[in-house]
Amino acid sequence: MTDAGDMGMKSGPLLARGEGVALWRQITQQMEREISGGQYGPGARLPTEAELAERFAVNRHTVRRAMEELEGRGLVRIEQGRGSFVAEDVVDYRLGPRTRFSEIIRRQNREPGGRVLRIEEVPAEATIADLLGIRRGRPVVVVERLSLVDGRPLLIGTHHFPALRFGRIPELLKEDPSITAALVACGVPDYRRKVTRITARLPTAEESDLLQQSRNRPVLVSEAINVDPAGEVVDVTIARYAAGRMQMVVES
Amino acid sequence: MTDAGDMGMKSGPLLARGEGVALWRQITQQMEREISGGQYGPGARLPTEAELAERFAVNRHTVRRAMEELEGRGLVRIEQGRGSFVAEDVVDYRLGPRTRFSEIIRRQNREPGGRVLRIEEVPAEATIADLLGIRRGRPVVVVERLSLVDGRPLLIGTHHFPALRFGRIPELLKEDPSITAALVACGVPDYRRKVTRITARLPTAEESDLLQQSRNRPVLVSEAINVDPAGEVVDVTIARYAAGRMQMVVES
DNA sequence: TTGCCAAATTCATCTAGACGACTAGTTATC
DNA sequence: GATAACTAGTCGTCTAGATGAATTTGGCAA
């Protein structure tokens, strides 16, 4: 608490060496204080690794470790060749019985978008088959899409439909990319989300790539079961969200 | 890049050097394949960093980077001084209007537990005050607790009660650690969760410490608003869950 | 002005080596 | 037999230096 009054320059935070607290942790804390203390505003550029290394009198790798930590915690964003910046902006993603991506996004005056990554028919894996309530190995139509908000990727959604009932979906999606519309054409006028499981983990290389998000930022993983008005399972969707760009909202 | 033929044993997966894919990523993939391929069962011990470094013919640091990745993704668990192990077991945490930790846990035949970390009365910060619907700076009672399942920490919950109405809570909790009971004593026979916001990030040092979870594993952060039967806001709770040990379940 | 190339800047990866911290088992001692 | 001290094994942190990759900048040519 004593904390020498830093008059003027940010000269010597002076790390405590050899006292049980790793240097990179101390740097993390210091930077955190400075960021949340408003030293740098949202989106502001932080000093380069080399500068910070000099300032804290440590090796650049030690600074890197600290910055990676801050990135994973959501405080900063690191861009190769550009520098590090203070993080910003999140989208509210409301989870309810009627969860439709475009509607949610438009309601927040943002522009939804997306593209199909993959459409194929494959035999059902054990997990998916159990959730769909079909036998393992039975054919399922898998549709994978990347959804964007204002041009920035927000989520990767992988839908699994029982092919027996929804085999026409691949063709239908070629006409109209809307899944809701395709389901209508298959005789499902409406559907609702029955249950959602949520967890979090770090992204795979592919995920962080598609989501244009750092490897250190977690993805929120949701597994949803959608049912038609009759209660029949329509599909199982596994979605991976860029945690740094959104917040799920559950109302009850 | 000629790639010597690996005769016999798992000697040479032989990484592709200098072809745009980082070595640590390739190691990650290989280990992932071996783990999900059943090479090592759940809980099984993996080779030491030194062994893997030798096997892949890279520096130990490179193997470390790969293992940290797998840990963050939830595939392995690394323990200092002991080794690395394949990950396991998760708890289903059902989120609904009536979310009570002990009930949820007991319903899964597990043993809930916990301890109070902090109880104090402080002026309301901007965010909390807004959510509670009180003026900033007004006193709030903050109760922070660590909740356990079968002796393992699952979540850190920070409750914020408007002190005006719930000033007696600190004393009450000294008698009986149940928050539900304390609220009853304050004239709130029942309460329900109105809205929950969920996001994920990497834990702070303190969080990973309390949750006994690696720094690389994300925490699910939920911000809940609880209201009494009259719709009045009772408290705002911010909980941080060890993402590797649970899955939130939302029914709708 | 526009387009392109080269240099400079900055972050990313990899290697090498040293030492600290924690765990678990073994041995010495009382 | 209990306890303490030691030791080997394993992960954690830090330093140092080299090279690669992505981005920006500045200058030159069309």
Side-chain angles (χ1 to χ4, degrees):
Chain A
M1 293 294 142
T2 48
D3 183 24
D6 23 306
M7 32 183 41
M9 68 247 46
K10 52 187 87 173
S11 61
L14 272 331
L15 308 182
R17 295 182 100 104
E19 294 200 4
V21 184
L23 295 180
W24 67 262
R25 276 178 189 287
Q26 297 181 54
I27 296 173
T28 294
Q29 281 174 21
Q30 179 58 29
M31 293 307 292
E32 194 177 352
R33 269 195 296 274
E34 295 183 8
I35 291 170
S36 61
Q39 198 97 353
Y40 309 95
R45 178 171 188 172
L46 295 170
T48 67
E49 293 175 352
E51 283 166 358
L52 289 173
E54 188 184 13
R55 170 178 162 200
F56 289 110
V58 296
N59 191 278
R60 184 171 75 91
H61 290 106
T62 307
V63 168
R64 271 181 70 72
R65 182 67 190 87
M67 294 304 282
E68 279 170 4
E69 172 86 2
L70 290 176
E71 179 173 58
R73 297 240 301 274
L75 292 171
V76 311
R77 166 173 44 87
I78 303 176
E79 294 182 35
Q80 181 174 355
R82 306 213 325 119
S84 304
F85 308 83
V86 177
E88 40 210 331
D89 91 304
V90 293
V91 174
D92 264 11
Y93 198 88
R94 162 166 293 143
L95 223 60
R98 262 191 66 86
T99 298
R100 306 284 190 273
F101 175 75
S102 332
E103 292 176 18
I104 291 174
I105 300 309
R106 257 193 274 271
R107 201 169 299 133
Q108 294 191 46
N109 297 314
R110 291 181 180 240
E111 190 55 29
R115 71 169 204 271
V116 172
L117 301 175
R118 178 166 69 100
I119 299 187
E120 55 184 4
E121 194 172 313
V122 299
E125 287 171 30
T127 336
I128 300 296
D130 291 352
L131 293 170
L132 280 176
I134 63 175
R135 215 179 300 276
R136 297 176 188 186
R138 285 296 175 78
V140 289
V141 173
V142 176
V143 179
E144 192 162 272
R145 291 206 302 185
L146 179 68
S147 301
L148 318 171
V149 174
D150 292 340
R152 303 272 297 166
L154 180 70
L155 73 96
I156 303 167
T158 309
H159 304 258
H160 304 79
F161 304 93
L164 190 65
R165 187 172 173 199
F166 300 102
R168 291 196 307 133
I169 279 199
E171 310 151 43
L172 291 167
L173 286 179
K174 269 168 201 143
E175 295 301 309
D176 180 346
S178 160
I179 284 188
T180 306
L183 287 175
V184 169
C186 288
V188 178
D190 194 23
Y191 61 95
R192 63 178 199 84
R193 186 176 283 236
K194 187 181 161 201
V195 62
T196 308
R197 289 192 147 69
I198 304 166
T199 186
R201 58 170 169 74
L202 289 184
T204 63
E206 198 198 353
E207 287 162 354
S208 69
D209 206 48
L210 285 169
L211 292 173
Q212 288 174 31
Q213 201 199 218
S214 155
R215 286 191 309 279
N216 298 314
R217 296 296 290 272
V219 284
L220 268 175
V221 181
S222 85
E223 168 193 294
I225 298 182
N226 288 310
V227 296
D228 64 18
E232 198 69 21
V233 177
V234 169
D235 87 308
V236 168
T237 301
I238 295 180
R240 288 141 293 168
Y241 300 81
R245 293 206 264 281
M246 54 85 69
Q247 231 178 1
M248 268 184 195
V249 179
V250 179
E251 287 191 77
S252 37
Chain B
M1 42 196 89
T2 46
D3 180 25
D6 25 307
M7 35 188 35
M9 64 249 48
K10 61 176 95 169
S11 59
L14 272 332
L15 311 182
R17 296 182 99 104
E19 294 199 5
V21 184
L23 295 180
W24 67 261
R25 275 177 188 287
Q26 298 181 53
I27 295 173
T28 294
Q29 282 174 22
Q30 180 57 30
M31 293 308 292
E32 194 178 350
R33 269 196 296 275
E34 295 182 9
I35 290 170
S36 61
Q39 198 97 352
Y40 309 95
R45 177 170 188 173
L46 296 170
T48 67
E49 294 176 352
E51 283 165 356
L52 290 174
E54 188 182 15
R55 168 177 163 201
F56 290 109
V58 296
N59 192 277
R60 184 169 73 98
H61 289 108
T62 308
V63 167
R64 272 181 70 72
R65 182 68 190 83
M67 294 303 283
E68 279 171 5
E69 173 85 4
L70 290 175
E71 179 174 58
R73 297 241 300 276
L75 292 171
V76 310
R77 165 173 45 87
I78 303 176
E79 293 183 35
Q80 180 172 357
R82 306 213 327 119
S84 305
F85 308 84
V86 177
E88 41 211 328
D89 92 304
V90 293
V91 174
D92 264 10
Y93 197 87
R94 163 165 291 143
L95 224 59
R98 264 192 63 87
T99 298
R100 306 285 190 271
F101 176 75
S102 333
E103 292 175 19
I104 291 175
I105 301 309
R106 256 192 276 270
R107 201 169 301 133
Q108 295 191 45
N109 297 313
R110 291 181 180 240
E111 191 54 29
R115 70 168 204 272
V116 172
L117 302 174
R118 178 164 70 99
I119 298 186
E120 55 184 3
E121 194 171 314
V122 298
E125 287 171 30
T127 336
I128 299 296
D130 292 351
L131 292 170
L132 280 176
I134 62 175
R135 215 180 298 275
R136 297 177 188 184
R138 285 297 176 78
V140 288
V141 173
V142 176
V143 179
E144 192 161 272
R145 290 206 302 185
L146 179 68
S147 300
L148 318 171
V149 174
D150 293 340
R152 303 271 298 166
L154 180 70
L155 73 96
I156 304 167
T158 310
H159 304 257
H160 304 79
F161 304 92
L164 190 65
R165 187 172 172 198
F166 301 102
R168 288 198 307 135
I169 279 199
E171 311 151 42
L172 291 168
L173 286 179
K174 270 168 203 145
E175 295 300 310
D176 179 346
S178 160
I179 285 188
T180 305
L183 287 176
V184 169
C186 288
V188 178
D190 194 22
Y191 61 95
R192 64 180 199 84
R193 185 177 286 235
K194 186 181 164 203
V195 62
T196 308
R197 288 194 147 68
I198 304 167
T199 188
R201 57 170 169 75
L202 289 184
T204 63
E206 197 197 354
E207 286 162 354
S208 68
D209 206 49
L210 285 169
L211 292 173
Q212 287 174 30
Q213 201 199 218
S214 156
R215 283 191 311 278
N216 297 314
R217 297 297 289 274
V219 285
L220 269 175
V221 182
S222 86
E223 168 194 296
I225 299 182
N226 289 310
V227 296
D228 64 18
E232 198 70 19
V233 177
V234 170
D235 86 307
V236 168
T237 301
I238 294 181
R240 287 142 294 170
Y241 300 81
R245 291 206 266 281
M246 54 84 71
Q247 234 179 356
M248 269 184 193
V249 178
V250 179
E251 287 190 78
S252 38

